[in-house]
Amino acid sequence: MADARLTGSEKRALILWVICGVLGLVFAQRYFFRAFPEAAVDFKVSRTEAQQRAKDFVQGLGENLDGYQSTITFEVDDNAKTYLERELGLQEANRLMSSELNIWFWDVRFFKPQQEEEYRARVSPAGKVVAYSHKIEEARAAKSLSREEALAAAQQLLQAKLGTNLDNWNFLPEEANSQVRPNRLDWSFTWERKNFKAKDAPYRLEVGLQGDHIGNTQEFLQVPEAWTRSYQHLRSSNIFYNQIALIPYGFLLGAALWLGISLMRQDKTSWGAALKLGALVAVLFFLMQANDWNSIRAGYDTHQAYSSFVTAQLAKLLLGALATGLMVTLVLPGGEPLYRAAQPARLRLYKAFSLRGIRSKEFFSSSVVGISMAAAHMGFIVAFYMIGSKFGVWAPQDLSYSDVVNTSFPWIAGVAIGVMAATSEEFLFRLFAIPFLEKMTGSRILAVILPAFFWSFLHSAYPQEPGYIRGIEVGLIGILAGIVMLRWGIVATLIWHYTVDASLVGMLLIRSDNLYFKISGVVVGLAAVAPLAWSGISYLARFEGDIDARQQVGDVTQSRLQADALVAHLALGLRARLQGRHGVDGDEVDGTRAHEHVGHLERLLAVVRLRNQQVVHIHAQLPRVGRVQGMLRVDERRLTAQLLRLGNHVQRHRRLTARFRPVNLNHAPAGKAAHAQRRVNRQAPRRNHVHRDQHVLAAQPHDRALAVRLFDLRYRCFQ
């Protein structure tokens, strides 16, 4: 076990990470909206008020809504929004969308199960009804109107019900159309706003009649077809890079599954913990989707029985949750042993988030690095797109609103998205892929770079230009994440990934005017910083307690041996019920008293810190552990030092234990049992190659069974 205290170099590294995080956060806060201009939605009516205004409008047309169910969602005309941003620039586009054009709106639906007739109304954030539709059976009878009568009815609707000033609109007679139905004649009429064009796109108003009743009305930006085809070409480029990235994704997922099954057959891994973690991810996914039931319900097809719809949707949610959980479960049985073999000094993944693991130095360091990296990541993204915009890089702007705030528990989305993305992506592309590809390629550099870009181009389906730019941006971060995992462990990248994804939802909620949404945003954020706070408090408490405990037991845990004993002098600073700086429990280990022989090898190894995977390769010419060379009478002129290659199988009579068997103690210390034992892990990997680490020579892990074979093996689409 590594020293429980931070070394000077570790402290300096963590301080540097914190400084980078602070600088990144300050930079992002200052320049975020320059890099990512946000389309601010000016809500003058709430969701509930918009729903009521839609109901009043429909009833004002003489329609009866008794017994109708309703849903409401926030929608955006993405095609028109993208056209305005690309063709007019963000500043002019924002001006038009916030004042003159209806690009986003509340979409309110009124329906009855298993009844074709239904109503829809769109309400702008300012509270104005900007669209309406009435769906009826095609064979429904109604009075047929002449063109002049139908046009007059349409004008009456626009002026009396919608408050439209037709003096600002040009009627387009060539766009007037009629359609014969079995028992009625339908009409449609179009107007175009005077003296307005968004480059080549006019703004139009359309009214449709179903016989002598109003069928629909809407305002919309008529985007040129040539531009639409060009934009679809750009989107096909995004999708192409995304689809190509699915090939290595499938290969890595298949390799992880194959390795997990192979190790399970050799009884070297288990699926229990992986299934539990997968179940947690599945539950979070299900809760997130069920929490958005209002949006799901808005898509109900009234031709279907409502009970059948509910059953089918719940089944889809369960299957989606199962598939999402499997993306995590299938990777871990093969990935975790591979990661552990590559980094044996790290905490086991399954124990890292236990109470004891959270109190460890490794978890504390990983939390600091992970959260600092997330903050620095924000600054990097802002800088990347600020610079990229000068070279033709384009990305659509976001809205200051999301349907996530339409849910009963908006914090669930932030937590669920963060956990799902962090576990499914970090486990496959870092925990498994890096050690796996390092064994395949023999290059650590390739093992870091390749999965970084395999992962990044899965995100290229976003509508950005050029099509590969998202892959470059995320790939650079992926390289850093790989380096961080190798230096600080997988816990650091898990915390980083969760923090970045969850913060996107959290910041949106915190910026809301609603107190409940603000609290929900804080909950999302606390899920990221709570482990760091807990770990930091526990670590500092242990550190302070260590000083007092060591002072209290310092005299008790020091031992001296006479000249005829095996060791002349051995003094240790230990803690009662807490690990000392050498990882030894002060209340569990006694040094031998004067005139006593060394009795039990486990006690000897515990005293000199050779336990629990602390593998020491002692060389006569290099720094020794105390006076081990003299104690064991090693002649450096011969190859006897090779006998001291101590593995962690010390509980079995092999290697060193076979040569130095236990000897009974003459007397036990007062109040202590004769055999103060210490558990020694027998299953940790053996080591060969020597590397110097401060004053102890640690060894690299043997490749063992993982190096015996070549892995000849064979995504979900990230959005």
Side-chain angles (χ1 to χ4, degrees):
M1 183 178 294
D3 197 317
R5 300 180 186 175
L6 291 170
T7 65
S9 61
E10 289 172 333
K11 291 177 182 177
R12 288 190 293 271
L14 293 182
I15 291 172
L16 183 60
W17 270 109
V18 171
I19 292 173
C20 290
V22 171
L23 292 177
L25 204 58
V26 170
F27 185 83
Q29 189 275 334
R30 183 170 183 177
Y31 296 105
F32 184 86
F33 293 109
R34 184 181 299 182
F36 305 104
E38 186 179 69
V41 181
D42 184 16
F43 287 101
K44 290 184 170 56
V45 295
S46 67
R47 177 173 175 264
T48 302
E49 291 171 334
Q51 195 167 15
Q52 185 60 47
R53 293 199 182 194
K55 183 177 182 179
D56 293 342
F57 178 83
V58 174
Q59 291 177 330
L61 295 176
E63 305 294 345
N64 184 8
L65 294 179
D66 291 344
Y68 277 78
Q69 300 183 35
S70 65
T71 63
I72 180 170
T73 58
F74 190 76
E75 304 291 343
V76 179
D77 185 347
D78 282 318
N79 198 44
K81 173 179 174 291
T82 304
Y83 173 84
L84 292 170
E85 292 173 358
R86 287 176 60 84
E87 299 302 317
L88 303 183
L90 297 178
Q91 184 175 358
E92 178 64 11
N94 283 337
R95 186 189 69 80
L96 291 175
M97 291 187 291
S98 62
S99 59
E100 297 188 38
L101 310 180
N102 295 299
I103 304 300
W104 40 71
F105 40 78
W106 296 102
D107 187 14
V108 186
R109 182 188 182 198
F110 303 93
F111 64 92
K112 284 184 178 180
Q114 294 186 290
Q115 174 180 296
E116 186 167 358
E117 184 176 20
E118 64 177 69
Y119 304 89
R120 282 184 182 270
R122 293 177 176 177
V123 181
S124 71
K128 178 185 176 184
V129 175
V130 295
Y132 164 78
S133 68
H134 181 200
K135 181 181 178 183
I136 61 174
E137 305 87 343
E138 186 173 344
R140 177 179 291 191
K143 179 182 178 181
S144 297
L145 301 178
S146 66
R147 174 181 170 133
E148 290 73 19
E149 292 173 326
L151 179 59
Q155 291 172 335
Q156 174 67 17
L157 168 74
L158 293 174
Q159 292 175 325
K161 298 297 182 181
L162 295 177
T164 303
N165 185 358
L166 291 179
D167 292 338
N168 297 327
W169 298 82
N170 289 323
F171 176 66
L172 303 179
E174 66 278 9
E175 295 289 335
N177 292 297
S178 63
Q179 188 171 9
V180 178
R181 303 293 184 184
N183 298 302
R184 67 178 189 271
L185 180 65
D186 292 349
W187 285 94
S188 66
F189 303 99
T190 304
W191 287 259
E192 190 171 284
R193 180 180 289 181
K194 294 180 179 178
N195 304 318
F196 177 87
K197 269 196 176 182
K199 198 174 182 179
D200 298 321
Y203 193 63
R204 291 187 171 182
L205 172 62
E206 186 177 87
V207 177
L209 281 82
Q210 299 164 336
D212 58 343
H213 291 80
I214 299 299
N216 66 278
T217 178
Q218 64 173 328
E219 297 179 16
F220 60 95
L221 187 70
Q222 183 68 33
V223 178
E225 292 185 7
W227 183 92
T228 301
R229 288 193 297 269
S230 173
Y231 183 66
Q232 289 303 318
H233 177 72
L234 167 64
R235 297 295 292 120
S236 65
S237 174
N238 297 134
I239 299 300
F240 170 76
Y241 289 113
N242 171 267
Q243 298 297 314
I244 290 296
L246 288 175
I247 297 174
Y249 171 80
F251 168 75
L252 290 176
L253 188 61
L257 177 60
W258 176 86
L259 182 59
I261 293 173
S262 299
L263 292 177
M264 180 188 67
R265 290 175 177 174
Q266 300 173 39
D267 199 25
K268 294 180 179 179
T269 191
S270 65
W271 289 73
L275 288 170
K276 291 177 183 177
L277 185 55
L280 172 63
V281 172
V283 169
L284 286 173
F285 178 88
F286 182 84
L287 291 176
M288 180 182 69
Q289 296 294 323
N291 193 43
D292 195 28
W293 181 254
N294 182 69
S295 297
I296 296 174
R297 191 163 156 266
Y300 165 59
D301 184 354
T302 56
H303 293 94
Q304 184 182 12
Y306 189 71
S307 59
S308 299
F309 168 78
V310 172
T311 302
Q313 292 302 313
L314 289 177
K316 289 179 181 179
L317 294 186
L318 287 172
L319 289 175
L322 179 62
T324 304
L326 281 176
M327 293 300 101
V328 176
T329 298
L330 296 179
V331 175
L332 275 181
E336 203 274 339
L338 197 61
Y339 167 76
R340 194 169 68 249
Q343 301 198 46
R346 298 289 175 199
L347 284 171
R348 295 192 63 173
L349 179 62
Y350 303 137
K351 297 181 179 179
F353 290 91
S354 65
L355 291 179
R356 187 172 182 180
I358 290 176
R359 296 174 65 235
S360 66
K361 178 183 79 172
E362 179 178 334
F363 192 95
F364 172 74
S365 300
S366 296
S367 298
V368 173
V369 172
I371 293 178
S372 298
M373 181 179 171
H377 185 180
M378 298 292 186
F380 165 77
I381 294 175
V382 171
F384 183 89
Y385 283 100
M386 281 183 65
I387 297 172
S389 63
K390 301 182 183 299
F391 297 92
V393 174
W394 171 86
Q397 64 180 346
D398 293 323
L399 291 181
S400 59
Y401 180 84
S402 170
D403 245 353
V404 70
V405 301
N406 271 346
T407 60
S408 300
F409 306 98
W411 57 268
I412 290 180
V415 174
I417 290 171
V419 171
M420 289 187 300
T423 53
S424 62
E425 297 175 30
E426 292 307 305
F427 287 164
L428 182 61
F429 293 102
R430 246 71 70 184
L431 180 114
F432 172 76
I434 290 179
F436 174 73
L437 291 176
E438 184 175 0
K439 287 182 176 294
M440 287 192 65
T441 64
S443 170
R444 175 164 289 190
I445 294 176
L446 288 177
V448 170
I449 294 176
L450 290 178
F453 285 99
F454 293 163
W455 167 65
S456 68
F457 276 93
L458 284 171
H459 296 76
S460 60
Y462 289 93
Q464 293 174 301
E465 187 179 19
Y468 56 80
I469 196 63
R470 178 72 168 167
I472 299 298
E473 172 225 323
V474 179
L476 294 175
I477 287 293
I479 292 174
L480 177 60
I483 296 172
V484 167
M485 192 209 75
L486 292 174
R487 172 61 182 87
W488 299 98
I490 191 64
V491 174
T493 63
L494 285 171
I495 293 175
W496 152 71
H497 205 141
Y498 170 85
T499 304
V500 170
D501 284 11
S503 64
L504 298 177
V505 177
M507 287 190 298
L508 180 67
L509 293 171
I510 290 173
R511 292 168 54 205
S512 169
D513 294 330
N514 187 294
L515 179 60
Y516 175 61
F517 295 158
K518 289 181 180 292
I519 295 174
S520 297
V522 172
V523 170
V524 174
L526 287 178
V529 300
L532 172 61
W534 187 332
S535 177
I537 294 171
S538 300
Y539 180 77
L540 292 176
R542 288 183 62 198
F543 179 75
E544 292 175 358
D546 179 36
I547 297 175
D548 296 336
R550 289 180 61 194
Q551 290 175 349
Q552 294 172 9
V553 302
D555 294 336
V556 177
T557 56
Q558 291 185 358
S559 300
R560 295 180 180 272
L561 298 178
Q562 296 293 340
D564 60 343
L566 292 178
V567 180
H569 175 74
L570 186 62
L572 296 174
L574 305 173
R575 291 182 298 182
R577 302 192 179 277
L578 290 172
Q579 289 181 350
R581 70 190 305 264
H582 292 295
V584 181
D585 286 0
D587 59 341
E588 295 182 11
V589 179
D590 281 306
T592 55
R593 298 184 307 178
H595 303 291
E596 289 181 348
H597 297 288
V598 177
H600 199 290
L601 180 61
E602 290 184 9
R603 295 183 60 192
L604 169 63
L605 296 182
V607 171
V608 296
R609 196 191 171 205
L610 304 181
R611 57 152 188 94
N612 279 354
Q613 300 186 22
Q614 290 298 327
V615 180
V616 178
H617 186 174
I618 303 171
H619 194 283
Q621 297 296 334
L622 295 173
R624 304 162 178 79
V625 180
R627 295 179 179 268
V628 176
Q629 181 185 10
M631 178 187 72
L632 299 177
R633 293 185 174 85
V634 176
D635 188 350
E636 67 182 75
R637 292 170 296 177
R638 298 195 298 269
L639 297 178
T640 328
Q642 293 297 326
L643 297 176
L644 299 182
R645 187 176 298 164
L646 307 182
N648 46 9
H649 294 274
V650 296
Q651 283 187 338
R652 292 184 281 184
H653 297 300
R654 295 184 180 179
R655 295 182 181 259
L656 188 63
T657 53
R659 296 184 178 273
F660 300 92
R661 301 183 183 280
V663 179
N664 291 329
L665 295 173
N666 292 345
H667 302 283
K672 295 290 184 179
H675 297 280
Q677 295 187 0
R678 188 74 180 164
R679 292 182 179 270
V680 179
N681 186 359
R682 300 189 297 176
Q683 299 301 327
R686 301 169 186 164
R687 296 163 166 84
N688 275 335
H689 304 294
V690 177
H691 289 286
R692 181 169 180 174
D693 182 81
Q694 293 184 357
H695 299 294
V696 179
L697 297 181
Q700 289 183 343
H702 225 289
D703 286 347
R704 300 190 66 171
L706 297 176
V708 173
R709 310 177 186 175
L710 288 176
F711 298 100
D712 221 358
L713 314 166
R714 15 164 303 120
Y715 177 73
R716 270 180 318 154
C717 207
F718 288 75
Q719 296 183 355

